[in-house]
Amino acid sequence: MKIQDAVVLVTGGNRGVGRALVEEALARGARKVYAAARDPKTVSTPHAVPLKLDVTDPEAVAAAAEHASDVTVLINNAGVDLAIDDILTHDLDDVRREFEVNFFGPLRLMRAFVPVIAGNGGGHIQNVNSALGLLVAPGFGSYTAYASTKAALLMATNGLRDTLPARGVELSSLHMGFTDTDILRDPAVQKNPASEIARKAFDGIEAGAAEILADPVSVQVKAAAALDPAQLFPQRAA
């Protein structure tokens, strides 16, 4: 579908990839772009419509769906990484918090906005995922909790492909490696520009892509995910 004249809602639209997605939607001629954030005062993109939203709060999600009843494109971008280095020993409350934001948050938004989008004649939902949602590669075990939330989101997205197109709702999953956002805790690694990820995200939506591998890292990880784990972790499989 075309973004021109669409009504777009981006969660976590006040910074990082979310802000870049808001800016790209406006640049492509979207009729209206809601930039959702827990504190709408932090939304600074000109011409964006700030929308108060905590994706972990069911009442806030319901209120957002009522207020933004003209949405035709939902982008579930809001996410957290709580630096859970060892999923076996770290406080489980933090693991649950990551799932609340990264998995149950998008699920709440989809449950609330699928009827809205369908009622507006159809549209698109894009779930912002990660290369880590495809595979926890060797050396990245400290991201296991975060990866698990993204893998769950990917499976939910794929499962909904069986039912949502009949309601006029297309789905896409956006994957990327390290990107220049506040969530990335390793300052030493090379990062994708958020603006480039946003451009590829909307290119994918407009092309009708089901899965968008937005950088070379996600392409490589997608290919590696097809391998036997024993090939990736030989010492551990011995």
Side-chain angles (χ1 to χ4, degrees), residues 15 23-24 61-62 66 71 89 110 119 160 198 208 221 228 237:
R15 61 186 185 180
E23 293 170 347
E24 184 69 18
V61 171
E66 182 176 356
V71 164
T89 60
M110 289 190 287
L160 288 169
V221 171
D228 186 322

Side-chain angles (χ1 to χ4, degrees), residues 143-155:
Y143 289 90
T144 296
Y146 178 79
S148 298
T149 68
K150 292 299 188 177
L153 179 59
L154 175 59
M155 290 302 101

Side-chain angles (χ1 to χ4, degrees), residues 86-165:
D86 188 342
I87 198 170
L88 295 180
T89 60
H90 197 96
D91 190 331
L92 277 177
D93 285 343
D94 283 344
V95 179
R96 291 190 182 97
R97 172 67 178 170
E98 282 200 352
F99 269 93
E100 278 295 323
V101 177
N102 296 351
F103 174 72
F104 288 107
L107 181 57
R108 288 187 187 94
L109 267 292
M110 289 190 287
R111 288 163 66 106
F113 276 94
V114 162
V116 171
I117 295 171
N120 289 329
H124 194 99
I125 294 175
Q126 181 172 94
N127 289 327
V128 177
N129 211 290
S130 167
L132 285 163
L134 299 166
L135 172 71
V136 180
F140 290 89
S142 62
Y143 289 90
T144 296
Y146 178 79
S148 298
T149 68
K150 292 299 188 177
L153 179 59
L154 175 59
M155 290 302 101
T157 305
N158 287 342
L160 288 169
R161 297 186 198 283
D162 197 40
T163 56
L164 288 193

